[in-house]
Amino acid sequence: MSSFFTERTAEYAILPPLLAYLRQRFGAAVPMYFWATREGNSVAQERHSGRRFRVLVVFARRPKVLDGHHMLGKINRELFEFADRAGKHRIPSVAAFPAVSDLFELGRDFQTYWFPLAGLPHQDAVFKVSLSRPDLRPEPLDGFRLEPWELEDVGDAVEVAPVLTWRDAVCAIRDVRHAHRIVPDMGFIGGGSSYMPVYVLVPE
């Protein structure tokens, strides 16, 4: 399935409305890309040792071309696996899909579908969304129905997440990222995840 921008571009688009909502509801929200030798180093620990916050995992997904009225989306099984590992630490995970037909629509108001990821089958999910009827639910193309959330639902998931110290959050992130996983159709166990989410930190 062909696409016309990357997940990183999708991140730039879906984060502003998410952060605006969380900041309005909780007072602050900080996006973080975790890098072991930067956010995960001893300097970061020293600077942030007194901070207490909740964590939200966000995976941006890119739309794929179908026709002039619909776009396709895909959530890979590895994201569901990641979410269940994060769920062991009670950290919520969502995927965000911007329903646009070209790059420049990201500069205007557009529909974003927010999908909770934890507790679902570990298989690829492919779906179709209507560009002209954003009120319609995504249509599954493989029998795997995803029920989207509103931003309020995302905020509710953050609200019940545990409050962590910086050290505890980093330990949880490391554990989730580097847990062993089965590599499909290859018959061996791999380490870590090839997908790198945005972590949104919501101070207590």
Side-chain angles (χ1 to χ4, degrees):
M1 291 181 286
S2 299
S3 188
F4 41 90
F5 56 77
T6 65
E7 279 83 3
R8 180 58 58 87
T9 297
E11 286 174 4
Y12 294 151
I14 60 93
L15 278 174
L18 173 64
L19 295 175
Y21 173 80
L22 294 176
R23 286 166 179 163
Q24 181 181 31
R25 178 165 174 174
F26 298 104
V30 180
M32 180 183 76
Y33 180 85
F34 183 83
W35 196 255
T37 58
R38 296 294 184 270
E39 291 81 0
N41 68 17
S42 59
V43 177
Q45 165 61 31
E46 180 183 351
R47 301 290 295 182
H48 305 122
S49 61
R51 298 286 188 173
R52 290 170 54 82
F53 50 91
R54 295 176 172 88
V55 178
L56 172 67
V57 173
V58 181
F59 290 99
R61 309 308 296 147
R62 56 193 169 92
K64 298 171 175 62
V65 175
L66 181 59
D67 57 44
H69 303 287
H70 300 87
M71 301 302 293
L72 289 181
K74 180 180 180 182
I75 300 179
N76 301 74
R77 62 175 291 167
E78 191 172 347
L79 303 192
F80 298 109
E81 295 169 355
F82 191 108
D84 281 347
R85 294 197 301 270
K88 293 179 180 178
H89 299 273
R90 296 171 53 210
I91 295 174
S93 302
V94 296
F97 177 83
V100 296
S101 61
D102 68 54
L103 178 66
F104 291 92
E105 289 183 15
L106 295 173
R108 303 189 292 270
D109 290 335
F110 59 88
Q111 171 75 12
T112 298
Y113 292 90
W114 302 93
F115 297 108
L117 297 175
L120 295 172
H122 294 176
Q123 65 185 62
D124 293 350
V126 182
F127 55 90
K128 177 174 70 174
V129 300
S130 170
L131 297 175
S132 58
R133 291 285 306 279
D135 58 311
L136 295 179
R137 295 281 180 172
E139 178 184 342
L141 297 182
D142 54 3
F144 185 170
R145 178 171 293 278
L146 296 170
E147 294 296 334
W149 275 357
E150 302 294 335
L151 276 177
E152 182 179 356
D153 299 311
V154 179
D156 290 345
V158 171
E159 189 166 15
V160 299
V163 176
L164 304 174
T165 64
W166 184 265
R167 184 182 298 277
D168 288 342
V170 169
C171 286
I173 290 171
R174 289 181 184 274
D175 179 62
V176 173
R177 279 162 46 99
H178 297 296
H180 290 304
R181 60 184 176 84
I182 301 296
V183 179
D185 304 321
M186 298 186 68
F188 67 90
I189 296 178
S193 173
S194 60
Y195 290 91
M196 306 293 284
V198 175
Y199 298 90
V200 179
L201 314 182
V202 180
E204 186 181 26

